[in-house]
Amino acid sequence: MILDRRQLLGASGAFLALAACGKGAGASGVLRVGSQKGGTKALLLASGALEGARYTVEWSEFPAAQNLLEALGSGAVDLGLIGDAPFQFAYQSGSPIKAVAVQSVPDPQEGTLSILVAKGSPLQSLQDLIGKKVATTHGSIGHYLVLRALAANGLKADAVKVVFLSPSDSRAALQTGAVDAWSVWAPYTVAALAEGARIVVDGRSYSQGNSFDVANEQAIADKRPLLQDFLAREARAMEWSQGHTAEFAKVLARETGLPEAIALGTVQRARRARTPIDDALIKDQQVIFDTFRNAGEFKGNRPIAQAFQPIG
């Protein structure tokens, strides 16, 4: 049986919705899992992958990676799915977290990660953004996209005026003309495109699209069997989702309040699969590290290979 309850969880001034998801018979512990915009939770619920789990899963909902990373670093949650760029940003800041598994998008679609302009904007390309205001969330994959696109095209990090806002505030700023562009990810891209926004920079050229299941180090030490079981169930849920996008989207819409068409577009753009932690992945992470560091965004120099602790 699956039970839902919601309460407010404060983390660094943000209010985070907490939902407890049920347990199988003979539960032997509690695993606290963070979910961004309902994604992980919706996947596990829609697939039924948690049925029979011998522990309780408590779900916490977060609007963006930064909020989830704060909760992971403080130990408020044990595990959560994070994009590779924000993970690297938090890891280099000294957060006591490790990536324990990797998810990739085998066939990335346009609009999964993009820099957008509003309907009717005259801006057409990255070059047109020089000197303009671009909204994004600090340390996010959107932030990384801005920096990486500039660097890859021989432009300095200050070639655009980056304005750090939450996703909801960024959306409002773009709509009112307070900023000229918005660097963001699905489902926000999907909703913005449906409202008439247009892509000027496609993230597929600059990001590998990896995401990490990230755990607090104490949880790795204390709850390894629970983490192992959950990750195995999550992998099966991802396999299930490949042929059940409509079912997944319905649950995602229910969990997040997104219109079903937007939820479906999000699911179709984020068909993920488990991939290994290998030398190629570490090399990709080095690019992210160098991009943020060269832009002066952090001074940390923790060895990238030590950011990973596979659990399987």
Side-chain angles (χ1 to χ4, degrees):
M1 177 176 64
I2 293 176
L3 304 175
D4 277 321
R5 63 180 173 85
R6 295 189 182 275
Q7 65 186 56
L8 291 177
L9 171 67
S12 299
F15 288 103
L16 309 173
L18 175 68
C21 180
K23 59 185 179 180
S28 58
V30 176
L31 187 66
R32 300 165 302 168
V33 182
S35 180
Q36 285 189 65
K37 199 66 175 175
T40 303
K41 182 183 180 185
L43 173 63
L44 272 292
L45 294 184
S47 65
L50 287 176
E51 292 179 6
R54 297 177 62 82
Y55 51 90
T56 298
V57 174
E58 288 185 353
W59 292 103
S60 300
E61 302 288 354
F62 298 86
Q66 288 60 42
N67 311 102
L68 175 48
L69 282 163
E70 289 172 1
L72 282 164
S74 69
V77 297
D78 302 314
L79 181 74
L81 185 66
I82 304 290
D84 54 3
F87 167 71
Q88 190 62 234
F89 201 94
Y91 178 73
Q92 292 300 332
S93 74
S95 183
I97 55 176
K98 293 287 180 71
V100 295
V102 182
Q103 298 180 22
S104 67
V105 181
D107 184 25
Q109 302 294 307
E110 183 180 46
T112 304
L113 171 65
S114 306
I115 300 179
L116 307 174
V117 294
K119 182 179 181 180
S121 170
L123 305 178
Q124 300 290 330
S125 68
L126 178 67
Q127 293 291 329
D128 293 337
L129 294 178
I130 295 175
K132 304 297 185 181
K133 294 180 180 179
V134 180
T136 195
T137 304
H138 193 236
S140 68
I141 53 175
H143 186 190
Y144 171 72
L145 174 58
V146 173
L147 297 177
R148 186 66 203 145
L150 291 172
N153 287 276
L155 298 169
K156 294 182 178 180
D158 61 359
V160 303
K161 299 174 183 177
V162 179
V163 180
F164 295 124
L165 297 170
S166 69
S168 59
D169 288 342
S170 293
R171 175 177 177 269
L174 183 68
Q175 291 177 333
T176 61
V179 298
D180 303 288
W182 179 19
S183 187
V184 70
W185 54 93
Y188 301 107
T189 50
V190 183
L193 290 169
E195 293 169 344
R198 180 167 43 81
I199 296 171
V200 293
V201 177
D202 183 358
R204 291 178 296 178
S205 299
Y206 304 103
S207 172
Q208 298 299 315
N210 292 314
S211 293
F212 302 144
D213 286 290
V214 176
N216 179 277
E217 291 179 348
Q218 195 62 51
I220 295 173
D222 296 343
K223 300 183 179 182
R224 191 179 186 92
L226 275 64
L227 291 170
Q228 287 177 318
D229 184 82
F230 182 89
L231 293 172
R233 291 172 184 273
E234 183 184 52
R236 292 196 294 272
M238 284 187 283
E239 292 177 3
W240 170 89
S241 71
Q242 303 304 312
H244 299 84
T245 53
E247 294 97 317
F248 182 10
K250 286 180 180 179
V251 178
L252 180 61
R254 185 188 73 206
E255 289 295 317
T256 61
L258 290 169
E260 195 164 314
I262 302 302
L264 180 59
T266 299
V267 168
Q268 291 171 335
R269 286 171 169 82
R271 295 180 178 179
R272 297 188 174 276
R274 184 78 75 219
T275 50
I277 296 173
D278 55 18
D279 290 342
L281 178 73
I282 301 301
K283 185 177 180 180
D284 289 337
Q285 293 308 294
Q286 186 66 50
V287 174
I288 293 173
F289 172 88
D290 291 340
T291 299
F292 276 127
R293 189 175 175 87
N294 292 343
E297 288 296 333
F298 56 61
K299 301 183 183 301
N301 195 24
R302 299 175 77 181
I304 292 175
Q306 294 180 19
F308 299 91
Q309 188 170 338
I311 292 179

